[in-house]
Amino acid sequence: MKYWLLKSEPDTFGIDHLAALPDQQAPWDGVRNYQARNFLRDELKAGDQAFFYHSSCKVPGIAGIVDISANGQPEKAASQPESPLYDEKHSEETPRWFEVQVKLKTRFAQVIPLQALKQDSALSDMALLNRSRLSVQPVSAEEWQHILANYPH
DNA sequence: GCCAACGTTGGC
DNA sequence: GCCAACGTTGGC
């Protein structure tokens, strides 16, 4: 089982939105970057876990943990003309975009701020701190455990 | 295949 | 709101 980090803008879809859903589960869709798409399509697997990261907001940082509850599938919204995610070059038969299902595991009482992670030499190789604009990215087991063990949440 | 123009991400 | 980083598009 692997660990990941998923970015979302809390004004659009934050951890509180996920928590408010009846089954606290949702498709992780709208990813329109090919490297991130490849992770969704090929690498994220049911049983994996991911940090839910809040970007483009007052305090960017890790807001909680989700379980990946289904492997990558063709993105449904991209097939629906009425959806803002609609892409005419995408179809279920020849998919361009993919989604996984995520289910809320833990909503942190306090966000672990990006600002703190940036100052941690143990995390200097983290993709979050070195790969700008990648909205789906791997987290090593060491990084995952280090963050949970060393930052109040 | 190169590269300039352009658009998006995301921290500050 | 600004701007750095960087991915995408399209002319040539």
Side-chain angles (χ1 to χ4, degrees):
Chain A
M1 100 110 154
K2 291 182 178 175
Y3 299 103
W4 305 94
L5 182 145
L6 305 173
K7 295 182 185 173
S8 186
E9 300 185 14
D11 291 346
T12 306
F13 186 80
I15 200 162
D16 289 337
H17 293 94
L18 183 61
L21 297 175
D23 54 359
Q24 301 193 327
Q25 187 161 338
W28 198 267
D29 57 13
V31 172
R32 292 293 180 269
N33 167 283
Y34 285 104
Q35 192 175 359
R37 186 281 309 268
N38 292 348
F39 283 131
L40 290 179
R41 186 186 61 193
D42 304 330
E43 303 287 340
L44 277 80
K45 298 296 176 190
D48 290 355
Q49 293 186 1
F51 286 137
F52 194 128
Y53 180 88
H54 282 174
S55 65
S56 293
C57 57
K58 192 164 185 181
V59 183
I62 300 168
I65 296 172
V66 293
D67 286 315
I68 307 304
S69 52
N71 295 357
Q73 296 288 323
E75 190 188 280
K76 290 200 172 63
S79 304
Q80 298 164 349
E82 69 277 14
S83 168
L85 295 175
Y86 178 68
D87 182 344
E88 61 181 8
K89 293 177 178 164
H90 172 279
S91 71
E92 204 165 337
E93 296 74 30
T94 56
R96 169 174 293 197
W97 307 117
F98 285 77
E99 65 190 11
V100 297
Q101 300 294 318
V102 302
K103 188 175 176 66
L104 182 64
K105 179 179 174 64
T106 311
R107 180 188 175 284
F108 292 166
Q110 54 184 124
V111 169
I112 301 174
L114 172 65
Q115 190 185 14
L117 304 178
K118 285 171 72 173
Q119 292 167 5
D120 190 336
S121 59
L123 300 175
S124 58
D125 290 336
M126 241 191 124
L128 179 67
L129 308 179
N130 294 293
R131 303 292 314 280
S132 73
R133 307 173 40 186
L134 184 60
S135 64
V136 177
Q137 55 179 256
V139 176
S140 75
E142 290 76 16
E143 291 160 351
W144 181 274
Q145 284 148 18
H146 176 86
I147 289 168
L148 291 179
N150 289 279
Y151 295 90
H153 55 271

